[in-house]
Amino acid sequence: MKAVLIKDGKGPAENLYIGEVDTPSPAAGEVLVKIKAFGLNRMDISQREGKYPPPPGASDLLGVEFSGTVTELGQGVKEWKVGDEVLGLVGGGCYAEYVIVPPTHVIRKPAHLTWVQAASIPENFLTAFQALIVIGSLKENESVLVHAGASGVGVSAIQLARTYGARNVIATTSSQEKNDWLLNLPNGATHAANYKTQDFSEVVKQITNGHGVDVVIDFVGRTHFNKNLDTLATDGRMTMLALLSGNIVESVNLAPLLFKRLHIEGSTLRSRSIKYQADLIARFGKEALDKITAEEGQGPIRTYIYKVYPWDQVIEAHKEMEANNNSGKIILEVR
């Protein structure tokens, strides 16, 4: 089969190319899916650069989310049949014509979603759902702060927070243009701050009348950490998903953790156990999937596609994400 490979095993976007590899065969308890479209995520860039290896047992190929059709069943698989249209999540291997998947890691594609729209859902929405609902334990009328608000996970978390009844959903981004976009989404952020020109912790205090936020979703790390502690309300919860600004915080006042009874948890969905992922996918399928429509749909949660590339333009797609231009999801179609 054809797949996106990396010249020299790692390197810049220019090292990506489409080559030939063996088509995988499903073992017992696995399914083979012919991929129609796959999503681009920042972890793909990190893996391409040699900074984020796939978990043990996963494919070395890039890509963790896809949409496609089931083409072959391993022994013992009863819940799927050949021809089923699905979307799903794996530890790697989606930048290809075919991918092997545990049957628990695919969900039936809603008929109202295109292949491109379906491929935009798994990584973004499962990560956001885990961070906000499973770990963050969001409750109705609580306030939420979402950093990297215009990212795919950020947009998903914002909409999930609104759908689960949050009082204030505050986003941070790097530009007024992105803030305006988030504020104008049908179920978007209620407030937004430009972290480059504003102190988001002060913005949060003004919005919440000094109470702070109950849940923080953070991708940034070092530069935001102390302000996040200041921003959190008593009994607040913070889920850390990435460390984009660095992982070493030079000076931290630990007192807020103690006196505000803060809960801080890190999470990388890709490295979780198969069972954990399966349980998360099942819960998400029951609670949230049927609420998601396309951008022009009427659902309380919508998936926003920034740009679609044919997969032979994978270099351009990676460069677009590296430039931080996207508001919404970048998707590649296998043609």
Side-chain angles (χ1 to χ4, degrees):
M1 69 174 181
K2 292 181 180 179
V4 176
L5 305 176
I6 309 169
K7 182 182 178 182
D8 300 324
K10 65 178 180 179
E14 287 82 3
N15 282 25
L16 297 170
Y17 69 99
I18 294 179
E20 294 283 342
V21 297
D22 291 338
T23 303
S25 296
E30 295 179 334
V31 298
L32 181 69
V33 175
K34 182 175 176 57
I35 293 178
K36 296 286 190 178
F38 58 85
L40 173 56
N41 295 283
R42 289 199 176 274
M43 74 174 76
D44 303 345
I45 294 172
S46 296
Q47 182 176 335
R48 188 202 74 215
E49 293 173 338
K51 300 174 182 177
Y52 191 6
S59 169
D60 290 334
L61 298 176
L62 298 174
V64 298
E65 62 182 342
F66 65 90
S67 63
T69 57
V70 176
T71 59
E72 189 177 344
L73 305 175
Q75 183 179 358
V77 175
K78 304 294 185 184
E79 57 267 60
W80 298 104
K81 66 181 186 297
V82 172
D84 281 344
E85 299 182 346
V86 297
L87 55 107
L89 184 78
V90 291
C94 295
Y95 282 36
E97 291 184 301
Y98 294 89
V99 67
I100 292 288
V101 196
T104 53
H105 284 47
V106 287
I107 306 175
R108 194 170 305 280
K109 182 180 82 69
H112 62 274
L113 296 178
T114 66
W115 293 115
V116 164
Q117 292 157 358
S120 74
I121 290 173
E123 176 65 20
N124 281 350
F125 280 98
L126 285 167
T127 299
F129 185 81
Q130 176 197 223
L132 185 73
I133 307 303
V134 178
I135 297 175
S137 301
L138 176 67
K139 302 176 183 64
E140 193 172 1
N141 291 320
E142 290 189 326
S143 293
V144 179
L145 174 64
V146 180
H147 293 303
S151 68
V153 176
V155 175
S156 303
I158 288 166
Q159 295 181 93
L160 285 167
R162 293 289 301 274
T163 302
Y164 275 78
R167 179 191 302 272
N168 299 299
V169 181
I170 307 160
T172 69
T173 78
S174 59
S175 72
Q176 189 59 46
E177 180 183 9
K178 289 182 178 181
N179 283 348
D180 291 342
W181 181 71
L182 291 173
L183 292 168
N184 286 306
L185 295 181
N187 219 5
T190 60
H191 305 82
N194 182 337
Y195 69 84
K196 289 187 174 181
T197 60
Q198 296 173 281
D199 182 337
F200 67 80
S201 63
E202 292 301 320
V203 173
V204 166
K205 290 174 186 176
Q206 292 172 10
I207 293 168
T208 62
N209 295 317
H211 175 79
V213 292
D214 303 283
V215 180
V216 171
I217 308 299
D218 183 48
F219 308 79
V220 183
R222 180 184 62 83
T223 58
H224 286 19
F225 190 79
N226 284 319
K227 289 181 182 178
N228 284 338
L229 298 187
D230 188 41
T231 295
L232 281 162
T234 299
D235 292 316
R237 291 86 67 194
M238 178 163 68
T239 306
M240 301 190 68
L241 297 173
L243 302 166
L244 296 176
S245 70
N247 62 324
I248 304 296
V249 183
E250 297 296 337
S251 179
V252 179
N253 179 5
L254 297 176
L257 279 77
L258 182 65
F259 295 114
K260 291 199 287 185
R261 301 187 298 272
L262 302 182
H263 178 103
I264 300 173
E265 183 170 334
S267 180
T268 55
L269 178 57
R270 190 183 192 187
S271 63
R272 296 279 193 170
S273 70
I274 294 295
K275 184 181 186 307
Y276 178 96
Q277 293 175 351
D279 291 344
L280 177 68
I281 290 167
R283 181 177 173 186
F284 170 79
K286 292 176 182 177
E287 292 188 24
L289 181 62
D290 64 352
K291 297 179 175 67
I292 303 174
T293 64
E295 180 175 350
E296 64 274 11
Q298 299 300 314
I301 307 172
R302 305 182 192 186
T303 182
Y304 293 92
I305 309 298
Y306 172 72
K307 200 166 184 178
V308 181
Y309 291 87
W311 75 322
D312 59 5
Q313 294 180 19
V314 64
I315 293 174
E316 291 82 352
H318 271 237
K319 286 183 175 180
E320 186 77 2
M321 177 167 280
E322 287 177 315
N324 199 30
N325 290 328
N326 58 301
S327 295
K329 192 75 179 179
I330 296 174
I331 300 292
L332 293 99
E333 289 183 297
V334 179
R335 299 176 181 176

